[in-house]
Amino acid sequence: AVRATLVIGLILLLAACAVEEGATSVQIAEKRFVSSEQPYVEVVSMVDRRSERAAHTAMVINASQRVIYDPAGTFQHEDLVERGDIHYGATDQLVRYYERYHARFSHYVHVQRIPLSPEVAERVLRRAQAQGPSPKMFCAIHTVDVLNESLGTSFGRSFFPEALRTSVARMPGVID
């Protein structure tokens, strides 16, 4: 009886872990925002003014819908819904708000835009969705993982967002 109870408890625990927390598919569909701009991904770095080194990284992904991918971030807004570090409903106004949220006396926001084909932009979005929630301090590592797998880049994995910002600056076609 004790063994059966333990097995049932383990099954329930694993089932609970498999459920993704956050917005429902209906909520995500309701918040869907489609931009008229050409597809792109923007690597958004929050840069320390004193050291000139990025301290956090995120992405704005403009594919079949525009979203903000904020791995290990703390950003929230009542007009956005979130699942797995992705904020859905990223209108122009909310993207600007996201950038202003991170800009302060000690940090500024540096945006690097990578123009993409619709197919590649969609691949970036799907890969970011598959990533799921990121633990604290994994913003750069998980952003690199998404970019390397979906763009075919070979950025080095690092806990330091500045390494990613430097690598993206070297990409041909980046609008810095």
Side-chain angles (χ1 to χ4, degrees):
V2 172
R3 186 174 181 171
T5 303
L6 287 174
V7 169
I8 290 171
L10 182 59
I11 290 170
L12 291 174
L13 178 64
L14 291 174
C17 291
V19 174
E20 175 125 26
E21 291 187 30
T24 66
S25 296
V26 170
Q27 291 171 317
I28 289 169
E30 288 172 352
K31 288 295 182 178
R32 180 184 178 94
F33 175 77
V34 179
S35 171
S36 61
E37 294 180 89
Q38 293 298 311
Y40 62 82
V41 63
E42 288 178 338
V43 176
V44 181
S45 300
M46 292 36 147
V47 182
D48 182 291
R49 291 184 189 277
R50 286 191 323 205
S51 69
E52 283 296 315
R53 298 182 63 79
H56 179 63
T57 193
M59 291 190 296
V60 175
I61 303 167
N62 187 41
S64 59
Q65 63 180 306
R66 187 166 60 197
V67 302
I68 300 169
Y69 175 56
D70 190 23
T74 59
F75 174 77
Q76 299 208 341
H77 191 282
E78 64 187 18
D79 292 335
L80 296 167
V81 295
E82 180 184 5
R83 184 193 306 173
D85 289 340
I86 299 187
H87 299 272
Y88 294 88
T91 64
D92 295 345
Q93 180 181 2
L94 289 168
V95 169
R96 285 192 302 274
Y97 182 87
Y98 175 80
E99 292 173 359
R100 284 193 313 273
Y101 170 86
H102 286 91
R104 54 193 67 133
F105 179 73
S106 60
H107 290 78
Y108 66 90
V109 176
H110 181 210
V111 176
Q112 298 166 294
R113 182 178 284 206
I114 306 166
L116 300 172
S117 70
E119 298 78 22
V120 173
E122 195 63 23
R123 200 164 54 227
V124 174
L125 174 59
R126 297 292 172 236
R127 178 59 181 86
Q129 289 170 324
Q131 183 66 48
S134 302
K136 296 294 176 205
M137 297 179 50
F138 274 71
C139 64
I141 286 178
H142 285 177
T143 302
V144 164
D145 289 347
V146 169
L147 291 173
N148 282 348
E149 189 171 312
S150 54
L151 299 183
T153 51
S154 56
F155 299 143
R157 293 180 92 223
S158 171
F159 282 102
F160 300 104
E162 182 61 25
L164 174 59
R165 185 170 83 117
T166 302
S167 295
V168 170
R170 293 187 193 119
M171 287 183 71
V174 167
I175 302 165
D176 203 5

